[in-house]
Amino acid sequence: MAADGVRYSLQLPCVFSSKSRQYLAVCAQDGRLRVWNTDSKTLHQEFVPSAHLSATCTCIAWGPCRTVKEGPQRKKRKSEVAQVEERADLLAMGTAAGTVLIYSTVKGALHCTLDGGHSGGVNCVHWHPEDSLLYSGSEDTNIIEWDLQTGKTRSKWKADRAAVTSLCVSPDGKLLLSAGHVIKMWDLETKEVYRKFTGHSTAVTILRFATTRPPDSNGLYFLSGAAHDRLLSVWQVREDGKDKNSVVSFTLTDEPQHVDLSTSGRKEEAVRLAVVCKDGQLHLFEHFLNGPCKKPLLPSCSVQMSDTKDSPMPIPLLAAALGADPRSVLLAYGSHLQPVMEKVEINMAERHVCLTRDVKTTLSLSMETTVSKVKTPIVSAKSKVLIPGLPGHKAPLTAAPQGTEKRKKDADNKEISIAERLGEMDLEAVSNQKGAPKVEASLQTDNFAVLLMQGLESKDANILNKVFQTRKEVLIKKTVARLPLPAVIPLVEELTKRLQGHPLAACLMVRWLKAVLMHHTSYLASLPDLVTQLGVLYHMIESRVKMFHKLTKLHGKLHLLMTQVAANDSSTLVSEVDHTAKLVYEEVDSKTLHSPVTQPLSARKSVSCCLAT
């Protein structure tokens, strides 16, 4: 399960709400749950779990649509009771910590937390179609039936020796499919195994019931998909038990990540299937399930999406939902942080369809409507401002504190120009030098971010040099954090160019690159063509890592050599000093012996020696 566990960490949940398809729930790389409105194509709600970094969201499942009361309402008439609309409300999120979070889109807050049941990460969750029950499968090989009215465990049983990777409840709510490496069908009343199905060599990640017929009529079918498998298998639940092999296979270009289908209620009704693969393509199938089919079925239509550049790049599809019209499909594509939702009409007569979209333009339009949720009131010029006080008298004017006046002066000032900002940066650089007089510089983080944006857009080396010359870690981090997402890639490309220059400048660029990787890792990981955009940086890092080992060896050899040279120099110096001292001593001794003052002393010594003998 190690390899399959990696797959769960890479696949990010992205699910449309049931029936109405009004909402799209996405868990992005930053661990936040975002609910997008597919009608207005704007961000509806955002939820940050308390442990969103340590307990990441691994799976999402929308609950059945229900009638929701939003606050006190008047008593409805009999004619209005039948017009009550059911809405998608509850959303179940399984986490890597073993808990299940129930989020309410109507309340815009956490409904309840289901914990204490699993000892491992939750891999899959699935709702009961009628009762207020939820089923969860985990790495601890157990399945838990949760009662949402009490928020406690209703039933718990061991599913298999391997981890439970997928769950699905039958449309009538009587059967449950669970899968690891083996698919099991459980009777929900007795919690006993009804059937077993084997055929996948890797962990099964997708289970869906394809028909709503009862199992005793040989008309109950379900499909399954596994990790690293390019086939979707269809299984028939036969009354005689002879259902060991799959009856139909659908051919894909990569492993399936998102599946939506319209179930069949009778033999004359075809099953429609929309499959989004890992490579970002959409495959549409339509087939009548009336028994086995020997050859794998090819998609009736395959859909790809690309941008509008001269050398087009593919845009990955995240999810797809079938509409009432066979040609209508609701698509979600782009990035998990900012997905784009669009309803398209697909020509099913063509086997391959390529849609071209300008993603940047679409993102900028949607960002303008979602970033600011504060409405500025429109004040008429003819309106009068009422000041507290007696009628006909002006209110007394009080002296404002000095800080308020400073804020007002700053607010009244116009936006400073680029030249003024560069001049302030020069003043700041001068004041940072030792011994220089302190000069007040009013350049803040916002100005740095604005200057950096202008320098990247205009490719002005003077502006970029002024910005990149700062050595303050805090200022670099705040500037990078305030940059908009479209400016991240141009900044990384500029830093990559400068890393190949002078070593001192490269040291500064490493600080900026470190800040970019710390603040914008989730955005960079969501880019489909990250390898091509950062290829130069990858090669440079690899070459420097390879060269580092050789330089370390060279450094060790040079250190050893310099140590030996220093030791040899010291020994030579000592020998030269000893030789010089010996010569000086001999010269002094010879002079002393031959001097007239010392001759009588030497004679006296010789006479004394003779007398002694």
Side-chain angles (χ1 to χ4, degrees):
M1 284 300 296
D4 301 329
V6 173
R7 180 191 179 277
Y8 283 109
S9 63
L10 293 178
Q11 180 179 350
L12 298 173
C14 181
V15 184
F16 284 103
S17 61
S18 55
K19 291 186 179 180
S20 64
R21 314 292 187 185
Q22 185 181 4
Y23 300 116
L24 174 69
V26 182
C27 261
Q29 294 88 344
D30 54 1
R32 304 185 179 204
L33 171 70
R34 293 179 176 88
V35 180
W36 300 85
N37 192 321
T38 58
D39 296 333
S40 60
K41 298 179 177 57
T42 55
L43 181 62
H44 179 62
Q45 290 175 3
E46 184 176 10
F47 173 67
V48 183
S50 58
H52 65 287
L53 296 178
S54 59
T56 56
C57 178
T58 55
C59 51
I60 293 178
W62 284 94
C65 295
R66 62 174 189 166
T67 305
V68 183
K69 295 181 180 180
E70 301 182 27
Q73 295 179 351
R74 65 176 177 83
K75 188 175 181 181
K76 297 183 181 295
R77 301 175 183 176
K78 293 183 178 180
S79 59
E80 296 177 346
V81 174
Q83 300 177 358
V84 175
E85 182 181 0
E86 293 184 342
R87 294 176 52 186
D89 177 24
L90 298 181
L91 183 67
M93 298 183 294
T95 65
T99 59
V100 180
L101 307 178
I102 308 298
Y103 179 78
S104 173
T105 57
V106 174
K107 299 178 182 177
L110 193 65
H111 180 71
C112 64
T113 302
L114 309 177
D115 54 1
H118 290 296
S119 59
V122 178
N123 291 333
C124 49
V125 287
H126 202 280
W127 293 81
H128 193 279
E130 297 175 359
D131 301 331
S132 58
L133 300 175
L134 180 72
Y135 298 89
S136 61
S138 170
E139 290 284 339
D140 60 5
T141 70
N142 293 323
I143 299 175
I144 295 182
E145 183 181 60
W146 301 91
D147 189 352
L148 293 184
Q149 294 182 352
T150 61
K152 296 181 180 179
T153 302
R154 184 174 177 179
S155 180
K156 179 179 179 179
W157 69 96
K158 187 177 180 63
D160 204 345
R161 291 179 296 177
V164 181
T165 55
S166 186
L167 290 174
C168 187
V169 183
S170 61
D172 57 2
K174 296 180 180 180
L175 299 174
L176 173 69
L177 286 172
S178 70
H181 288 290
V182 179
I183 302 174
K184 294 183 179 181
M185 182 175 285
W186 303 83
D187 187 347
L188 287 178
E189 291 185 2
T190 61
K191 304 298 187 295
E192 294 180 355
V193 178
Y194 181 70
R195 294 284 169 83
K196 287 185 180 181
F197 306 88
T198 57
H200 292 286
S201 59
T202 56
V204 177
T205 57
I206 290 177
L207 287 174
R208 296 287 188 277
F209 277 95
T211 59
T212 57
R213 311 167 206 168
D216 54 358
S217 63
N218 291 339
L220 183 62
Y221 293 84
F222 71 90
L223 60 89
S224 63
H228 314 296
D229 195 351
R230 297 185 179 183
L231 288 176
L232 273 181
S233 301
V234 180
W235 309 80
Q236 182 182 14
V237 184
R238 295 175 59 90
E239 187 178 4
D240 53 6
K242 297 179 180 181
D243 44 20
K244 295 183 179 180
N245 299 321
S246 60
V247 293
V248 181
S249 296
F250 296 108
T251 305
L252 306 173
T253 55
D254 206 338
E255 68 173 273
Q257 284 196 342
H258 185 276
V259 174
D260 185 47
L261 58 83
S262 61
T263 57
S264 170
R266 57 186 188 277
K267 293 183 179 180
E268 296 78 14
E269 185 179 0
V271 174
R272 294 169 53 218
L273 188 65
V275 185
V276 177
C277 296
K278 189 177 181 180
D279 58 359
Q281 296 189 45
L282 170 65
H283 302 288
L284 302 174
F285 298 89
E286 188 171 356
H287 182 68
F288 292 92
L289 296 175
N290 292 326
C293 184
K294 295 182 179 180
K295 294 183 179 181
L297 299 178
L298 297 174
S300 57
C301 183
S302 297
V303 181
Q304 288 181 288
M305 190 166 287
S306 65
D307 54 20
T308 57
K309 297 181 180 178
D310 296 334
S311 56
M313 296 295 295
I315 301 173
L317 292 168
L318 307 177
L322 296 170
D325 187 357
R327 298 178 300 173
S328 177
V329 180
L330 179 61
L331 300 178
Y333 56 89
S335 169
H336 284 83
L337 293 171
Q338 181 76 27
V340 182
M341 294 141 288
E342 182 182 358
K343 200 173 210 178
V344 297
E345 298 287 335
I346 297 177
N347 185 9
M348 302 298 292
E350 298 182 6
R351 298 295 298 270
H352 299 279
V353 176
C354 184
L355 305 175
T356 57
R357 297 290 186 272
D358 189 359
V359 180
K360 291 185 178 180
T361 305
T362 311
L363 288 178
S364 61
L365 291 176
S366 60
M367 286 291 287
E368 288 178 2
T369 57
T370 57
V371 167
S372 178
K373 293 186 177 181
V374 180
K375 294 183 179 180
T376 304
I378 301 174
V379 181
S380 176
K382 299 180 180 179
S383 61
K384 296 181 179 180
V385 180
L386 300 179
I387 302 175
L390 296 175
H393 294 78
K394 293 183 179 180
L397 299 175
T398 57
Q402 187 175 359
T404 309
E405 293 179 357
K406 186 176 181 181
R407 290 193 197 100
K408 288 183 178 180
K409 289 180 181 179
D410 293 340
D412 294 337
N413 291 336
K414 296 181 181 179
E415 185 181 358
I416 57 179
S417 62
I418 297 178
E420 293 174 353
R421 288 175 181 158
L422 294 177
E424 291 183 355
M425 292 181 72
D426 289 334
L427 291 177
E428 186 178 5
V430 170
S431 62
N432 289 335
Q433 296 177 2
K434 294 183 179 180
K438 292 185 178 180
V439 182
E440 294 185 359
S442 60
L443 193 62
Q444 303 297 327
T445 307
D446 292 336
N447 294 331
F448 264 87
V450 172
L451 273 177
L452 183 57
M453 280 289 299
Q454 292 174 346
L456 292 174
E457 291 178 0
S458 62
K459 296 182 180 180
D460 191 336
N462 187 23
I463 298 178
L464 294 175
N465 291 336
K466 295 291 184 181
V467 174
F468 288 145
Q469 74 182 358
T470 180
R471 298 176 180 269
K472 297 181 180 179
E473 295 282 351
V474 178
L475 186 59
I476 292 174
K477 292 180 180 179
K478 290 183 178 181
T479 303
V480 172
R482 292 176 182 269
L483 282 181
L485 295 180
V488 174
I489 292 296
L491 175 59
V492 174
E493 293 176 352
E494 182 65 28
L495 294 175
T496 304
K497 294 178 182 178
R498 292 173 176 262
L499 278 171
Q500 303 172 6
H502 195 272
L504 295 178
C507 293
L508 294 176
M509 297 308 106
V510 169
R511 298 182 182 181
W512 285 89
L513 188 60
K514 179 183 176 182
V516 171
L517 295 178
M518 287 177 60
H519 287 87
H520 299 289
T521 304
S522 58
Y523 169 70
L524 293 173
S526 64
L527 297 176
D529 53 348
L530 181 63
V531 178
T532 57
Q533 291 183 349
L534 304 183
V536 178
L537 182 61
Y538 288 158
H539 290 306
M540 187 173 59
I541 293 176
E542 289 180 359
S543 62
R544 293 197 176 188
V545 169
K546 292 179 181 178
M547 188 63 66
F548 179 74
H549 184 62
K550 298 179 180 179
L551 289 175
T552 306
K553 285 185 176 181
L554 180 60
H555 175 70
K557 292 179 180 180
L558 288 176
H559 180 70
L560 181 61
L561 183 61
M562 293 301 295
T563 306
Q564 293 177 353
V565 170
N568 292 334
D569 291 344
S570 61
S571 60
T572 305
L573 180 62
V574 170
S575 62
E576 290 180 355
V577 170
D578 292 341
H579 181 66
T580 305
K582 184 178 180 181
L583 293 176
V584 171
Y585 176 75
E586 291 177 352
E587 183 179 357
V588 171
D589 193 16
S590 62
K591 289 181 179 180
T592 305
L593 291 175
H594 294 290
S595 64
V597 178
T598 57
Q599 282 180 1
L601 292 175
S602 60
R604 291 174 187 175
K605 287 182 181 179
S606 61
V607 170
S608 62
C609 289
C610 292
L611 291 174
T613 57

